[in-house]
Amino acid sequence: MIFAANFKTNHTRKSTKKYIETLLTKIIAKKEGDKVYIFPPATALDQFCGDVILGAQNAYMAQNGAFTGEIGLEQLEEFEIKTILIGHSERREILGESQTFIAEKFAYFQSHGFEIVYCIGEPLEVRQQGQHSVVEYLLSQFEGIDTSYEKLIVAYEPIWAIGTGRSATLEEIGNTHEALKKTLQKPLLYGGSVKPENSKEIIAIRGVDGLLVGSASLDAENFAKMITD
Ligand code: PGA
């Protein structure tokens, strides 16, 4: 199983360090083969020893240059970061990243051998149109993306379930993962209001290879619970 924590714009450099120290003491009990990823804010990127992989929530597709407000490859290389989150709905919706832009970013980090956690997810109005529309919508989010990339991990995160406290139902997750797995032979995570109270039943669903957790991952003990329970 893969357990990934997306801190978004939460935690500082100092609190991230403390978080990782706490987490490492707790996840000694994790199952062999399980992998733990942390995506802290850019200011907290660093090198840590231990059984967690640190990834970037975002970066610009350049070594360095005039891209105000962005970090590039050079800033990631400083900490040997080789994992990146691409296509998160907050970047698509709030920051206005288009599918073309996302695909370019994906290609850039692919060419640099990054492990990519690529996020897809439908808005509520698409979910309300039924499963067929959901799958069609999700597949359109692979436009320009090399789904055969060996270091690709996909995260299915219905937008209406992110940060709302309302996770998709087990049936919705199961059906969607099953449909995606027909065209996608890659690890497939679920994200959207995952918490210790529902994580166990979600990872038990066929076709779910792990979790991408936002709010409920902000507390190290909480996140550790989802990993070790
Ligand atoms: P959430 O966020 O767990 O707070 O719903 C998940 C995500 O956006 O990755």
Side-chain angles (χ1 to χ4, degrees), residues 6 8 88-90 157 161-165 191-194 212-216:
N6 175 11
K8 308 188 180 183
H88 192 280
S89 64
E90 284 152 14
E157 300 198 299
I162 295 178
T164 57
S193 296
V194 179
L212 179 55
V213 191
S215 339

Side-chain angles (χ1 to χ4, degrees), residues 55-204:
Q57 290 176 22
N58 177 50
Y60 196 74
M61 52 243 193
Q63 178 74 24
N64 50 32
F67 308 103
T68 302
E70 296 287 296
I71 59 168
L73 203 55
E74 188 174 286
Q75 288 73 32
L76 298 179
E77 282 171 347
E78 182 180 8
F79 304 116
E80 292 177 15
I81 306 289
K82 292 294 280 177
T83 303
I84 188 165
L85 210 62
I86 294 180
H88 192 280
S89 64
E90 284 152 14
R91 295 214 59 89
R92 292 180 192 260
E93 306 280 309
I94 306 172
L95 283 310
E97 290 191 3
S98 68
Q99 186 60 32
T100 310
F101 181 83
I102 289 168
E104 256 178 70
K105 198 188 283 197
F106 186 102
Y108 179 81
F109 286 99
Q110 175 179 2
S111 74
H112 288 278
F114 272 63
E115 186 166 33
I116 300 175
V117 178
Y118 183 69
C119 304
I120 55 169
E122 83 285 0
L124 187 59
E125 60 270 23
V126 173
R127 171 54 70 179
Q128 283 164 342
Q129 286 161 18
Q131 182 67 9
H132 181 76
S133 303
V134 170
V135 174
E136 197 174 56
Y137 186 92
L138 296 176
L139 293 179
S140 77
Q141 291 186 313
F142 287 111
E143 213 175 286
I145 303 296
D146 178 4
T147 52
S148 68
Y149 180 43
E150 73 272 17
K151 292 184 188 165
L152 168 64
I153 297 169
V154 175
Y156 166 56
E157 300 198 299
I159 299 174
W160 47 272
I162 295 178
T164 57
R166 179 191 160 195
S167 164
T169 64
L170 301 182
E171 196 187 348
E172 284 166 334
I173 301 171
N175 290 343
T176 310
H177 277 236
E178 191 189 330
L180 288 170
K181 285 270 181 177
K182 282 189 186 136
T183 51
L184 196 75
Q185 282 76 49
K186 294 292 164 189
L188 185 55
L189 316 182
Y190 170 77
S193 296
V194 179
K195 42 187 178 274
E197 295 75 31
N198 62 14
S199 61
K200 219 172 169 173
E201 46 189 19
I202 294 174
I203 53 179

